């Protein structure tokens, strides 16, 4: 991934916007597509960069990347119904699928088996918790970056992640699914 | 492995965005970069996203009627599968006509763009649709030392149809109405909309563009001189575009030259000579991605030729409380000059609350006064001047 220029001064952001777009458009699109759908991401990813171009970047709060993920998360929140529908649908679909015997990678089998319960648990999380989880998991953001993206204290990120983890584990039956597969 | 790592591996991945999607986003961004600064006023919601690629002061009734006309006309456009082979013949015939046009030029090339869209709103507990219109006029001078003049207007926000008007009047014809948003939208992001019967909030900029580079940079930094030097032959034009594609980093975002070629459509939106426009039409007619959808009446009530140059279906847009309404896009060309009548015409591909399938949801139209003129642009009275040059 290209490294965006030093963006200490907000006016510079506009000067370097082409580089910012080139460096981050694909990953922002992917993040939205994984939470909503490819088609929605086609439009929404563009909206993220339009919103970003129009300003509001505060270098004192963190880097450009978490800021862009924050805008994307905010736009995704307007599609909450769609997202919940998506996780519920994935949960139902995954439950119907038999684990593939041809799948050589055990981890993938394990992942396939847990997709249903995990997707169901995601649908049941409250919005704030889900945002924190998916920014970490899909965006690969650190605690500090998630805090900057959502403009919340780092402590809140930690407590939301903790709560969400408990719910995810509960959905998996309080067991480690990988150990079960191997076991 | 903890729950989060497992989750990361379990959730389905998504394919990278297509070159078309990246290009569309880039074009929207380029459009935003051409916007004159917007006055910051609370409650004002501009739909200026497509500023540069957008177009006339028409009576509401005429515009509303036009929308209704387009709906009925487009509904009659045959599905792609029904278009007989050689369906792009219409573009070749148009190119033949365009090639015969005189190369008239004036001191300014004027492009008046309307950006119109339907918005679902509420007055009291009754919902209805309003049509919102903004306009950006651009005068590109032939003399590069002459400044570029841009004028922006908020045109109107009015009930979209007579039925919508009845709902609004029954509610006491309030001056502001509440936008209907998708569930979960923060109150601050779902603002009230002020009804507006006359053009207002004019803002103008008057600034020299270094080197006379045109604002539309989708095909790179072009001047009128560059455009004049383009060949009036489809094969030569194709080679010229190939040279640009090879040299331009942004154009190389397309994996192949063939994937990039539909961008030739941008030439139809630039002040090229009729012979270059004809060559562009011929080039586009030969591309597998180009599909002529037939004769239609555009949202402004004008006869035009509906064409799609890139993927036009499978998109979704937000309308009222529905966050995913299937929509398709079409471009409408002038049936004699091959210039743009309307672009990014979004048509509902399914019905939603307050929206019938086939309804035009939003579009950008060129007003009839588009083209070369010797009339020098004057800042209208009451139009605020902005000191910020056009980026």
């Amino acid at each position: 991934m290209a490294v965006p220029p030093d963006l200490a001064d907000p006016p510079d952001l506009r000067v370097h916007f082409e580089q910012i777009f080139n460096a981050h458009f694909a990953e922002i699109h992917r993040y939205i597509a994984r939470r909503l759908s490819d088609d929605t991401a086609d439009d929404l990813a563009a909206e993220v960069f339009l919103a970003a171009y129009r300003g509001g970047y505060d270098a004192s709060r963190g880097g450009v990347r978490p800021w862009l993920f924050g805008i994307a998360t905010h736009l995704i929140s307007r599609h909450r119904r769609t997202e919940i529908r998506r996780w519920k649908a994935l949960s139902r679909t995954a439950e119907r699928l038999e684990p593939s015997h041809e799948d050589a990678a055990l981890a993938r089998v394990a992942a396939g088996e847990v997709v249903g319960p995990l997707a169901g648990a995601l649908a049941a999380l409250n919005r704030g918790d889900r945002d924190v989880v998916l920014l970490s998991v899909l965006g690969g953001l650190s605690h500090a970056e998630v805090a900057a993206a959502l403009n919340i204290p780092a402590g809140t990120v930690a407590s939301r992640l903790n709560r969400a983890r408990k719910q995810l584990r509960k959905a998996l039956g309080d067991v480690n699914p990988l150990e079960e597969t191997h076991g | 492995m903890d729950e989060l790592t497992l989750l990361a591996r379990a959730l389905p991945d998504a394919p990278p965005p297509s070159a078309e999607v990246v290009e569309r986003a880039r074009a929207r961004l380029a459009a935003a970069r051409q916007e004159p600064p917007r006055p910051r006023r609370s409650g004002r919601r501009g739909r200026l996203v497509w500023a540069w690629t957008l177009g006339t002061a028409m009576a509401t009734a005429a515009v509303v009627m036009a929308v209704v006309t387009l709906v009925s006309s487009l509904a009659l456009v045959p599905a792609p599968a029904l278009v007989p082979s050689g369906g792009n013949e219409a573009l070749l015939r148009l190119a033949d006509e365009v090639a015969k046009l005189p190369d008239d030029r004036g001191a300014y090339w004027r492009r008046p763009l309307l950006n119109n869209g339907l918005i679902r709103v509420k007055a009291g507990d009754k919902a209805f649709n309003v049509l919102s219109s903004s306009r950006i006029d651009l005068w590109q001078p032939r003399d590069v030392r002459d400044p570029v003049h841009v004028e922006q207007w908020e045109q109107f926000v009015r009930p979209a149809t007579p039925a919508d008007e009845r709902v609004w009047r029954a509610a006491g014809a309030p001056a502001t109405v509440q936008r209907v948003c998708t569930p979960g939208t923060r109150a601050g992001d779902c603002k009230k909309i002020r009804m507006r019967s006359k053009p207002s909030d004019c803002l103008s900029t008057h600034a020299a563009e270094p080197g006379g580079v045109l604002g539309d940079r989708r095909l790179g930094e072009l001047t009128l001189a560059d455009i004049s030097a383009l060949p009036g032959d489809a094969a030569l034009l194709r080679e010229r575009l190939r040279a640009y594609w090879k040299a331009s980093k942004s154009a190389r975002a397309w994996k192949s030259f063939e994937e990039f070629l539909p961008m030739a459509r941008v030439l139809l939106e630039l002040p090229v000579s009729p012979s270059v426009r004809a060559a562009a039409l011929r080039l586009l007619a030969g591309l597998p991605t180009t599909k002529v959808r037939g004769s239609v009446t555009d949202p402004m009530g004008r006869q035009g030729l509906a064409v799609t140059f890139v993927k036009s279906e499978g998109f979704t847009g937000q309308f009222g409380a529905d966050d995913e309404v299937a929509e398709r896009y079409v471009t409408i060309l002038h049936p004699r000059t091959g210039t743009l009548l309307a672009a990014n015409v979004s048509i509902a591909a399914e019905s939603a609350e307050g929206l019938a399938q086939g309804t035009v949801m939003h579009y950008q139209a060129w007003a009839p006064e588009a083209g070369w003129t010797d009339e020098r642009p004057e800042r209208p009275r009451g139009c605020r001047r902005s000191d910020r040059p056009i980026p």
Side-chain angles (χ1 to χ4, degrees):
Chain A
M1 193 210 317
V3 178
D6 180 24
L7 299 164
D9 191 19
D12 282 346
L13 204 64
R14 289 190 155 212
V15 174
H16 299 295
F17 214 77
E18 182 77 18
Q19 287 161 268
I20 293 173
F21 179 91
N22 290 340
H24 301 295
F25 184 80
E27 64 172 342
I28 292 291
H29 183 279
R30 184 181 178 210
Y31 170 67
I32 299 169
R34 291 184 80 182
R35 287 189 67 170
L36 297 171
S37 70
D38 300 351
D39 286 342
T40 311
D42 290 353
D43 278 341
L44 227 53
E47 294 284 343
V48 169
F49 285 85
L50 280 171
Y53 183 74
R54 288 182 176 139
Y57 176 62
D58 178 357
S60 69
R61 271 178 42 202
V64 169
R65 187 171 179 269
W67 177 57
L68 292 171
F69 272 98
I71 297 172
T73 304
H74 174 64
L75 291 177
I76 287 170
S77 71
R78 297 183 187 175
H79 297 250
R80 190 179 52 177
R81 225 168 28 135
T82 305
E83 186 180 18
I84 291 174
R85 250 192 338 247
R86 176 182 173 83
W87 298 131
K88 283 185 176 169
L90 182 62
S91 164
R92 284 193 301 273
T93 313
E95 274 169 19
R96 282 200 302 272
L97 291 176
E98 292 289 322
S100 166
H101 295 292
E102 292 164 8
D103 197 338
L106 282 173
R108 283 180 62 194
V109 174
E113 285 172 351
V114 297
V115 119
L118 285 178
L122 266 183
L125 290 181
N126 74 42
R127 196 177 100 192
D129 294 0
R130 190 168 51 241
D131 285 343
V132 167
V133 166
L134 294 180
L135 278 169
S136 306
V137 165
L138 303 182
L141 267 57
S142 67
H143 280 32
E145 287 174 327
V146 172
L150 298 177
N151 196 19
I152 55 176
T156 308
V157 173
S159 64
R160 284 187 186 178
L161 268 181
N162 210 18
R163 188 166 55 219
R165 264 195 175 126
K166 275 185 193 156
Q167 283 183 255
L168 293 170
R169 182 168 282 271
K170 201 172 162 192
L172 295 169
D174 278 325
V175 291
N176 183 330
L178 273 189
E179 281 172 11
E180 231 189 15
T181 306
H182 288 297
Chain B
M1 184 183 291
D2 70 0
E3 297 81 6
L4 297 185
T5 316
L6 193 61
L7 189 64
R9 296 172 66 166
L11 296 180
D13 205 348
S18 69
E20 275 169 15
V21 167
V22 178
E23 183 259 315
R24 191 183 272 264
R26 203 185 291 280
R28 288 178 71 180
L29 203 52
R33 294 171 93 152
Q34 301 305 324
E35 288 175 19
R38 285 189 284 169
R40 294 194 179 277
R41 283 177 55 169
S42 60
R44 181 174 175 277
R45 186 176 175 94
R47 283 184 53 88
L48 297 169
V49 167
W50 300 84
W52 232 85
T53 48
L54 304 188
T56 220
M58 295 272 287
T60 314
V63 175
V64 171
M65 286 299 288
V67 169
V68 173
T69 315
L70 179 69
V71 169
S72 51
S73 308
L74 283 174
L76 299 174
V77 175
L82 299 176
V83 176
S85 61
N88 293 346
E89 287 293 324
L91 273 185
L92 294 175
R93 285 197 300 274
L94 173 59
D96 291 343
E97 293 304 311
V98 172
K100 293 178 202 157
L101 295 172
D103 189 7
D104 289 332
R105 300 203 166 203
Y108 301 92
W109 180 68
R110 184 176 178 190
R111 192 176 56 178
L113 301 159
L114 275 180
N115 187 16
N116 291 1
L118 277 185
I119 304 173
R120 189 81 177 149
V121 296
K122 261 185 177 179
D125 59 350
K126 295 277 189 273
F128 63 103
N129 298 339
V130 292
L131 184 66
S132 166
S133 174
S134 60
R135 175 179 174 131
I136 293 182
D137 280 70
L138 169 120
W139 281 263
Q140 181 76 40
R142 202 166 156 72
D143 184 341
V144 295
R145 292 162 304 180
D146 216 358
V148 177
H149 182 85
V150 180
E151 215 172 276
Q152 174 188 305
W153 289 90
E154 291 302 318
Q155 291 272 97
F156 58 79
V157 179
R158 299 168 175 167
T161 65
D164 291 315
E165 175 144 18
R166 283 194 291 276
V167 176
W168 177 59
R169 293 209 178 279
T176 57
V177 289
Q178 175 62 51
R179 191 185 181 104
V180 175
C181 298
T182 53
T185 305
R186 286 200 313 208
D189 293 331
C190 191
K191 295 201 171 99
K192 290 196 166 165
I193 294 173
R194 186 156 56 89
M195 301 296 280
R196 189 192 300 265
S197 59
K198 284 185 290 190
S200 59
D201 288 6
C202 179
L203 190 67
S204 77
T205 62
H206 203 66
E209 181 69 23
V213 174
L214 300 172
D216 189 333
R217 299 183 187 190
R218 285 176 291 170
L219 287 178
E221 295 199 347
L222 292 169
T223 63
L224 286 178
D226 296 331
I227 282 178
S228 298
L230 289 172
D233 171 89
L236 293 176
L237 185 61
R238 187 186 171 102
E239 289 318 301
R240 185 67 65 87
L241 287 168
R242 189 194 296 277
Y244 167 69
W245 174 75
K246 277 186 179 165
S248 161
K249 205 174 155 192
S250 61
R252 293 295 295 272
W254 282 266
K255 284 194 200 100
S256 66
F257 174 58
E258 284 65 33
E259 283 177 85
F260 163 75
L261 261 180
M263 278 297 279
R265 69 187 184 279
V266 172
L267 292 170
L268 304 178
E269 301 178 38
L270 294 175
V272 298
S273 67
S275 62
V276 173
R277 196 155 57 245
L281 288 167
R282 290 193 182 106
L283 175 58
L284 288 162
L287 301 182
T289 40
T290 300
K291 289 190 172 58
V292 172
R293 309 282 172 164
S295 293
V296 293
T297 304
D298 91 335
M300 311 275 292
R302 304 169 294 193
Q303 283 302 304
L305 186 65
V307 192
T308 56
F309 297 117
V310 286
K311 174 187 165 183
S312 61
E313 296 182 13
F315 294 100
T316 58
Q318 212 170 303
F319 185 79
D322 204 318
D323 57 10
E324 278 195 339
V325 179
E327 57 181 350
R328 61 193 174 90
Y329 284 88
V330 71
T331 299
I332 304 174
L333 300 179
H334 193 291
R336 284 181 300 282
T337 65
T339 52
L340 211 70
L341 284 182
N344 298 304
V345 181
S346 148
I347 302 155
E350 63 181 347
S351 295
E353 193 199 323
L355 185 76
Q357 182 179 349
T359 307
V360 172
M361 295 164 75
H362 48 89
Y363 61 92
Q364 290 88 48
W366 287 31
E369 47 276 40
W372 289 97
T373 174
D374 283 325
E375 224 169 284
R376 196 178 174 80
E378 297 289 343
R379 186 161 56 97
R381 274 194 173 184
C383 190
R384 285 186 302 122
R385 189 196 289 273
S386 167
D387 294 333
R388 265 181 53 179
I390 302 161

